[in-house]
C-alpha cells in the first residue's frame, strides 16, 4: 500500500477507507489545499496538483450550492469512461476537510459513499481539537508544504 501521511491521526482512517472502498487514489486535505494524507500517488507534483484542483473545486461547488440551495454542496461526483472521482467535505470540529477519491470498476459510487460516511465518523473522533487562535498554517506555508511532501515521499 502506497499510503503516506503528514498528520499521524490521518493514517488509520485513510488506510481503512482506501482498503474498504477499493479506491485507486485518495488524498485528504485542508480546504486551502494543504495535504494531510495521500494514497496511490507516485510523484509529489501529482499530489500538489490534485490538492490545488480539489481545493478550488470544493470552494467553487460550495459557493454554487449556497447560490442555488442556500447551503454548500457537500459532495461532487464525476464518472469518466474508466475512472470516477468523488470529492466531498469531511466535517470536523471547527470546520472541515476535503477528501478526493478516484476509483474504477473495482468499486462503485455507492460503495465509496458508504465507506466515506464511516471515514467521516473516524476522522471526527481522531482529529485534534481545533483551537480558535491557531492558524491553519505556520508562518511559511511553502516551506511547510514542501516538508510535508518530503516526509510523505520519503525524502525527509
Amino acid at each position: 500500500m502506497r499510503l503516506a501521511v503528514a498528520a499521524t491521526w490521518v493514517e488509520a482512517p485513510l488506510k481503512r477507507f482506501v482498503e474498504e472502498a477499493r479506491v485507486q487514489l485518495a488524498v485528504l486535505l485542508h480546504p486551502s489545499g494543504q495535504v494531510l494524507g495521500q494514497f496511490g500517488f507516485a510523484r509529489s507534483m501529482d499530489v500538489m496538483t490534485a490538492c490545488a484542483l480539489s481545493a478550488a473545486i470544493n470552494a467553487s461547488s460550495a459557493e454554487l450550492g449556497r447560490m442555488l440551495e442556500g447551503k454548500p454542496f457537500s459532495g461532487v461526483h464525476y464518472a469518466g469512461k474508466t475512472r470516477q472521482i468523488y470529492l466531498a467535505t469531511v466535517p470536523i470540529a471547527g470546520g472541515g476537510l476535503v477528501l478526493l477519491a478516484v476509483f474504477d470498476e473495482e468499486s462503485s459510487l455507492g460503495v465509496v459513499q458508504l465507506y466515506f460516511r464511516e471515514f467521516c465518523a473516524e476522522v471526527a473522533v481522531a482529529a485534534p481539537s481545533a483551537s480558535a487562535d491557531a492558524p491553519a498554517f505556520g508562518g511559511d506555508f511553502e516551506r511547510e508544504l514542501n516538508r510535508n511532501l518530503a516526509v510523505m515521499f520519503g525524502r525527509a
Side-chain angles (χ1 to χ4, degrees):
M1 178 180 265
R2 304 165 312 233
L3 179 71
V5 297
T8 57
W9 60 268
V10 171
E11 186 169 4
L14 188 57
K15 182 178 181 181
R16 192 169 359 274
F17 172 76
V18 164
E19 289 173 351
E20 293 176 344
R22 298 185 312 269
V23 300
Q24 294 177 321
L25 302 170
V27 64
L28 180 66
L29 60 137
H30 186 274
S32 64
Q34 181 183 26
V35 63
L36 298 173
Q38 64 88 17
F39 166 78
F41 291 88
R43 300 178 323 164
S44 61
M45 183 60 73
D46 295 338
V47 175
M48 292 180 355
T49 301
C51 286
L53 292 171
S54 295
I57 293 166
N58 180 65
S60 299
S61 64
E63 192 54 38
L64 282 171
R66 283 185 196 93
M67 291 171 62
L68 295 173
E69 297 181 359
K71 62 181 181 172
F73 292 145
S74 59
V76 176
H77 170 251
Y78 173 77
K81 288 185 180 186
T82 59
R83 289 184 171 176
Q84 300 181 55
I85 67 165
Y86 183 64
L87 180 75
T89 302
V90 180
I92 60 170
L97 302 173
V98 178
L99 178 75
L100 169 68
V102 178
F103 56 100
D104 63 8
E105 67 277 349
E106 293 295 316
S107 192
S108 68
L109 178 59
V111 168
V112 170
Q113 289 175 320
L114 171 72
Y115 289 111
F116 174 73
R117 285 190 290 275
E118 292 180 12
F119 175 76
C120 288
E122 284 186 60
V123 168
V125 171
S129 60
S131 169
D133 301 329
F137 303 106
D140 188 349
F141 171 71
E142 185 175 1
R143 186 179 74 230
E144 184 179 329
L145 174 64
N146 288 332
R147 182 192 62 76
N148 285 349
L149 288 170
V151 166
M152 285 197 287
F153 286 93
R155 291 182 253 148

